[in-house]
Amino acid sequence: MIGCEHVAGAMPHYPPSMTDQPSSSSDAASRGPIQPATGTRDFYPIELARRRWIEDKWRTTAIRHGFEEIDGPTFEPTDLYTRKSGDGIVSEIFGVYSGKDEARVKQMGQRLAAGDTGAIAPYALRPEFTPTLARMFAARAGQLPKPTKWFWQQNCYRAEKPQRGRLREFMQWNCDIVGGVPRAEAAPGVSGGASPSVVDIAQENATLDAEIIACCVDLLQRCGLTSSSMSVRFNDRSVLGKIITRLGVDREHHAAAFTLIDRRGKLDDADLEAMAFEFGIHSTEFLTFLKRPRGADDLSTSLNELPVDSREEAAQMLAPLSGLKELLAQAGCGDWCVVDMNIARGLAYYTGMVFEVIVDGERAVAGGGRYDNLIETFGGPPTPAVGFGMGDVVLSLILQDKGLMPSDKQIAADLKLRPDAFVISNGTTESDALVPVLLAKLRRDGLHARRSYKSTGKIGKLLKEASDTHSRYAIIIESETEITLKDMDANTQDRGSREELLARIKPA
Ligand code: HAM
């Protein structure tokens, strides 16, 4: 895990029950320093550098795949999330109140004091970015290219129980493709090229589904991960919808059935059944399907388990999945991807392909899917869309566990944070006075130059400091015209004319 994580048990000044609540100012004064909120992290320089390394991989991968970066507000009207994200995420919202809106705050306070747990704040810290992206696209749909490819990487906030892989504030990288591929206009006098068939649209969508998954896999590969230890497990809600209809679940209960399938890995059979009854689902066929042995559920085993009369019928039902598998193989990431009938995803807005990136024993690294109705929900024209989100928390845990997080020196080099030169005085009064002069010149020349602020005159100690900062060169000032230039990587040094030796230092 990158960053210094704050957990309830690690807070000496507060009993754990208090850690969800910021203390009042008079309490704080009597208790000493204010502790950070549980499930958040502090990032000291090297920890932030590690996070930036991940962010840099995200950004460069997205750009290489043709996505453009966007951003939106940290908080949004709560309605943006209650409309379509689903109960799971809404129950994890951090509410935001405007201190200026006194009447609203007072009213909320009264409702909460009266035990109205359904009272929600007018604004919410974003738990995810997809609703913002849909709102932004809907607002300018007419002027945007088709398809529009956007990426975003910022913080999200969810009031989850902090645990390995899950915090209350985390970074998320999103890549989304909104809109389908435009069709070629028919030449004058040529028939056709008008309205596309359902099959054409499905094929175009599948091409974009494969493009999205390929981008996610490319990022994992660029971090040094391989398909031997992780997989992209995909499914399709439209396929699942057909299956559960045959198992006796009516359309009105499909969303609830997807939630139950999503919880299969987390709940035991008794809890699943109780939850199904609570949702109003009583089909015994569906309950048997829900409680079938958990485990790898690939395309071939699924073929045998489907509620159909023949293998041909089963193959037809699963065609969107086998079609996507083929496209993923063409995109070069077939070995990463497996069909998994257990994947349904928790968010309510998905309509078609859904996927998660899974490593055994860890929470999902990434998840996403197709959401063809969301743009319309926010007032835009009917527009298909597909995308995914990846968090930094699980990714950094996996990279660290597998020894794939580069050394601090490599991270500094990758992020161009290594100082070009570390300036040292040889200990004479004349050289001491020349340190700021040389620093100023190097910085004017566009180099990243540092010095020591230690009072020691011991060159060995100062060279150690130069090495600790991963400087490329150390410059020891011998006189106004002479220096010793030490190449820290090659571990070689030369003494001579200041101007000649400085000319060797080129920006990295
Ligand atoms: P999600 O599955 O809720 O999807 O989140 C995506 C990823 O964000 C997860 O796989 C995980 O890596 C990370 N994540 C989620 N919650 C936490 C948490 N509490 N702590 C740490 N990391 C977390 C979405 O958010 C969708 N909006 C993704 C999407 C984009 N679908 C289409 N476009």
Side-chain angles (χ1 to χ4, degrees):
M1 158 93 60
I2 43 173
C4 169
E5 183 189 337
H6 304 301
V7 284
M11 295 184 182
H13 298 285
Y14 288 80
S17 60
M18 290 294 292
T19 52
D20 264 6
Q21 305 288 334
S23 51
S24 71
S25 50
S26 57
D27 280 351
S30 62
R31 284 168 199 243
I34 294 179
Q35 299 299 320
T38 187
T40 61
R41 287 171 290 177
D42 290 336
F43 291 88
Y44 290 89
I46 183 56
E47 289 148 358
L48 186 60
R50 288 184 192 130
R51 194 182 96 190
R52 293 272 186 251
W53 183 84
I54 288 178
E55 289 175 45
D56 186 56
K57 285 268 176 292
W58 284 348
R59 183 168 278 112
T60 49
T61 303
I63 290 170
R64 234 192 1 263
H65 284 253
F67 293 87
E68 291 178 302
E69 189 166 11
I70 57 163
D71 199 4
T74 313
F75 62 95
E76 292 269 17
T78 308
D79 292 351
L80 192 76
Y81 307 109
T82 51
R83 227 180 250 190
K84 208 67 189 179
S85 292
D87 294 345
I89 214 160
V90 169
S91 68
E92 291 167 351
I93 277 177
F94 276 103
V96 177
Y97 304 84
S98 157
K100 303 250 185 257
D101 190 354
E102 280 177 36
R104 190 87 186 252
V105 172
K106 205 168 156 191
Q107 187 196 18
M108 284 295 305
Q110 282 163 352
R111 284 179 65 182
L112 288 169
D116 179 359
T117 49
I120 34 181
Y123 302 102
L125 282 183
R126 60 180 171 223
E128 57 159 340
F129 188 65
T130 314
T132 301
L133 175 140
R135 177 181 64 65
M136 287 172 65
F137 184 91
R140 299 221 179 147
Q143 305 144 47
L144 291 166
K146 287 181 187 57
T148 287
K149 294 175 68 174
W150 280 343
F151 81 98
W152 171 87
Q153 49 188 73
Q154 294 288 347
N155 306 34
C156 292
Y157 308 86
R158 293 188 193 176
E160 280 197 54
K161 185 169 177 283
Q163 53 190 291
R164 185 176 162 89
R166 289 294 178 263
L167 295 176
R168 291 184 162 188
E169 181 180 21
F170 55 96
M171 297 292 297
Q172 207 187 56
W173 175 51
N174 282 224
C175 292
D176 291 87
I177 306 181
V178 189
V181 179
R183 352 209 74 250
E185 272 175 35
V190 178
S191 65
S195 48
S197 73
V198 173
V199 175
D200 288 343
I201 292 174
Q203 271 165 3
E204 281 162 8
N205 284 349
T207 308
L208 299 180
D209 292 350
E211 193 172 325
I212 272 293
I213 293 179
C215 175
C216 183
V217 169
D218 189 19
L219 180 283
L220 300 170
Q221 282 173 319
R222 288 196 181 260
C223 290
L225 291 158
T226 65
S227 58
S228 62
S229 56
M230 59 203 303
S231 55
V232 176
R233 313 197 75 85
F234 69 97
N235 198 355
D236 192 310
R237 278 196 178 183
S238 64
V239 173
L240 268 183
K242 283 186 191 148
I243 295 174
I244 61 179
T245 299
R246 291 203 179 205
L247 294 170
V249 179
D250 53 43
R251 268 211 79 78
E252 184 196 334
H253 287 102
H254 276 196
F258 294 148
T259 305
L260 288 164
I261 295 169
D262 178 61
R263 303 270 162 92
R264 247 166 66 82
K266 296 160 206 142
L267 299 179
D268 62 25
D269 287 354
D271 287 342
L272 276 176
E273 191 162 334
M275 208 169 159
F277 289 155
E278 214 175 287
F279 287 151
I281 301 178
H282 298 279
S283 153
T284 39
E285 287 90 344
F286 175 70
L287 290 175
T288 310
F289 177 77
L290 199 60
K291 295 191 286 187
R292 74 196 187 283
R294 291 147 176 85
D297 219 355
D298 65 12
L299 201 53
S300 50
T301 49
S302 308
L303 272 171
N304 298 325
E305 283 180 358
L306 291 180
V308 287
D309 299 329
S310 66
R311 262 186 94 79
E312 288 68 43
E313 205 183 335
Q316 206 181 1
M317 195 180 240
L318 297 177
L321 293 169
S322 39
L324 181 56
K325 204 169 159 71
E326 224 172 284
L327 289 169
L328 290 165
Q330 283 166 20
C333 53
D335 52 336
W336 284 76
C337 304
V338 280
V339 172
D340 187 340
M341 299 307 283
N342 297 307
I343 300 294
R345 303 273 297 140
L347 291 157
Y349 47 68
Y350 293 115
T351 53
M353 182 279 290
V354 278
F355 75 97
E356 283 185 356
V357 178
I358 310 274
V359 181
D360 280 347
E362 299 286 358
R363 306 296 302 266
V365 187
R370 173 158 290 285
Y371 49 102
D372 288 348
N373 301 332
L374 200 61
I375 307 294
E376 217 177 332
T377 304
F378 293 122
T383 311
V386 62
F388 71 87
M390 179 185 291
D392 71 317
V393 179
V394 182
L395 182 63
S396 66
L397 281 173
I398 295 168
L399 293 177
Q400 272 162 357
D401 283 359
K402 295 191 181 303
L404 289 170
M405 187 60 88
S407 67
D408 296 351
K409 185 172 174 182
Q410 188 57 49
I411 285 179
D414 288 355
L415 296 180
K416 304 211 180 319
L417 294 175
R418 287 186 73 186
D420 297 307
F422 193 93
V423 179
I424 293 169
S425 158
N426 70 352
T428 63
T429 318
E430 184 200 7
S431 293
D432 285 352
L434 288 169
V435 169
V437 180
L438 181 55
L439 269 175
K441 173 190 161 38
L442 293 169
R443 288 171 182 165
R444 264 199 316 276
D445 291 348
L447 295 168
H448 172 176
R450 292 203 199 176
R451 60 169 291 178
S452 174
Y453 294 96
K454 290 191 175 129
S455 56
T456 180
K458 290 188 176 144
I459 304 279
K461 279 199 172 165
L462 295 170
L463 283 173
K464 160 94 174 43
E465 195 182 343
S467 165
D468 290 344
T469 61
H470 312 301
S471 295
R472 294 165 56 223
Y473 291 94
I475 301 170
I476 303 165
I477 302 176
E478 308 291 359
S479 72
E480 198 166 359
T481 54
E482 205 179 38
I483 60 168
T484 296
L485 182 71
K486 179 164 177 150
D487 182 325
M488 302 294 286
D489 292 333
N491 200 21
T492 55
Q493 64 181 53
D494 291 299
R495 182 170 174 163
S497 147
R498 180 184 116 138
E499 292 321 310
E500 276 172 29
L501 289 176
L502 287 186
R504 287 190 195 168
I505 309 177
K506 307 271 183 272

